[in-house]
């Protein structure tokens, strides 16, 4: 019985219509990362940053989970060992697909965070610059997402899970953003078998022992089926 740790990225939600960050048609293509995904960009132009995340939040509310999200939920439900699910995604498609315990290391579109006092609450559909924090009233509401230069959430729990992993899978992530791109090394050091499941080889593909390429809606259900029947 395995101690499975799964890391997912934008690629798992691509076939649901969420759009990935990098590559043709990617979300970053027409925008500079520094403008919409850094604390400095938010300080410079909060209206632009809110507009970017408002649009993504509205998009996320419209899309449905796909066969890959549902297969992972099935694995969590039916696998007799441990299955830890870590996602870099800020959408809620894992939850909508039936996953209960999802570690959102880059935060969630559904959340608002006060930059002044760290209070968290449910984000409205449209966040606006200067929106007051319900706890301290500072006009400092921001999306509860992790920007470049900020520390991802839940790192202690994640590193603990990786240190005990016997099987690590990275699904739909380009391997360009750390620390997530380094999780395969942590798992390898812990003695885990490592699998990359992606449309195409990622930037860190050579770190993996096994690779499976193709659309997530096909590769992930097939992988889960193998785990549940072997
Ligand atoms: N099935 C499987 N993989 C896919 C599919 C698909 N249908 N479509 C695209 N992919 C793969 C791409 O080949 C790519 O390797 O998904 C990956 C998406 O990469 P990115 O867009 O870079 O997304 P991700 O790795 O999640 O980005 C990491 O960067 O921008 C920040 O904080 C943001 O969480 C994000 C982080």
């Amino acid at each position: 019985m395995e101690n499975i740790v799964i890391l997912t990225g934008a690629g798992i939600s691509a076939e649901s219509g969420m759009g990935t960050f990098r590559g043709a048609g990617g979300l970053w293509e027409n925008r500079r990362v520094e403008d919409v995904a850094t604390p400095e960009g938010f300080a410079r132009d909060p209206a632009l940053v809110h507009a970017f995340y408002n649009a993504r939040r509205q998009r996320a509310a419209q899309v449905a989970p796909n066969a890959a999200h549902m297969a992972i939920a099935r694995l969590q439900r039916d696998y007799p060992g441990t299955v830890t699910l870590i996602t870099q995604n800020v959408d809620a498609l894992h939850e909508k697909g039936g996953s209960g315990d999802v570690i959102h290391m880059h935060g969630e579109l559904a959340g608002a965070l006060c930059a002044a006092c760290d209070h968290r609450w449910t984000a409205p559909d449209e966040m606006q610059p200067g929106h007051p924090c319900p706890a301290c009233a500072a006009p400092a509401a921001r999306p509860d997402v992790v920007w470049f230069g900020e520390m991802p959430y839940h790192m202690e729990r994640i590193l603990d899970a990786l240190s005990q992993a016997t099987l690590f899978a990275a699904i739909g992530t380009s391997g360009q953003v750390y620390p997530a791109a380094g999780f395969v090394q942590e798992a390898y050091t812990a003695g885990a078998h490592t699998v990359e499941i992606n449309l195409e080889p990622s930037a860190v593909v050579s770190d993996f022992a096994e690779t499976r390429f193709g659309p997530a809606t096909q590769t992930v259900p097939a992988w889960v089926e193998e785990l549940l029947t072997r």
Side-chain angles (χ1 to χ4, degrees):
M1 212 158 34
E2 307 273 10
N3 228 339
I4 305 175
V5 178
I6 299 172
L7 169 72
T8 65
I12 197 165
S13 295
E15 289 164 86
S16 289
M18 268 312 283
T20 58
F21 293 96
R22 296 169 185 82
L27 291 167
W28 296 141
E29 208 173 38
N30 299 316
R31 291 187 181 79
R32 295 184 340 142
V33 172
E34 311 87 79
D35 290 338
V36 294
T38 62
E40 295 78 17
F42 184 62
R44 212 163 34 233
D45 192 348
L48 175 81
V49 175
H50 277 307
F52 177 73
Y53 288 98
N54 286 343
R56 296 196 58 211
R57 188 178 303 108
Q58 283 155 24
R59 178 92 195 131
Q62 289 163 1
V63 300
N66 64 48
H69 300 105
M70 289 190 259
I72 290 175
R74 178 178 167 223
L75 185 68
Q76 287 182 301
R77 215 167 34 237
D78 296 348
Y79 192 70
T82 316
V83 182
T84 303
L85 176 57
I86 307 161
T87 189
Q88 298 167 86
N89 299 342
V90 292
D91 63 48
L93 289 175
H94 280 302
E95 287 88 345
K96 287 186 184 172
S99 285
D101 192 6
V102 187
I103 303 175
H104 280 275
M105 65 177 290
H106 289 168
E108 294 179 68
L109 282 172
L113 167 69
C114 176
C117 78
D118 281 350
H119 178 67
R120 287 188 163 81
W121 68 100
T122 302
D125 285 349
E126 289 272 338
M127 289 186 75
Q128 307 290 348
H131 190 91
C133 166
C136 75
R142 56 165 281 183
D144 191 10
V145 300
V146 175
W147 287 326
F148 288 92
E150 297 182 324
M151 179 63 80
Y153 299 154
H154 313 298
M155 283 305 293
E156 206 171 312
R157 186 176 169 202
I158 290 169
L159 292 174
D160 187 53
L162 289 168
S163 74
Q164 296 173 49
T166 61
L167 172 59
F168 172 78
I171 303 174
T173 179
S174 62
Q176 298 195 46
V177 176
Y178 285 81
F183 289 175
V184 57
Q185 291 284 3
E186 299 284 338
Y188 174 79
T189 305
H193 177 67
T194 56
V195 193
E196 171 162 289
I197 304 176
N198 208 34
L199 194 56
E200 58 197 12
S202 78
V204 292
V205 65
S206 58
D207 292 343
F208 288 84
E210 182 187 345
T211 54
R212 295 171 174 234
F213 299 119
T217 54
Q218 290 169 28
T219 52
V220 178
W223 176 67
V224 165
E225 183 67 27
E226 281 176 37
L227 288 174
L228 288 176
T229 54
R230 79 181 182 192

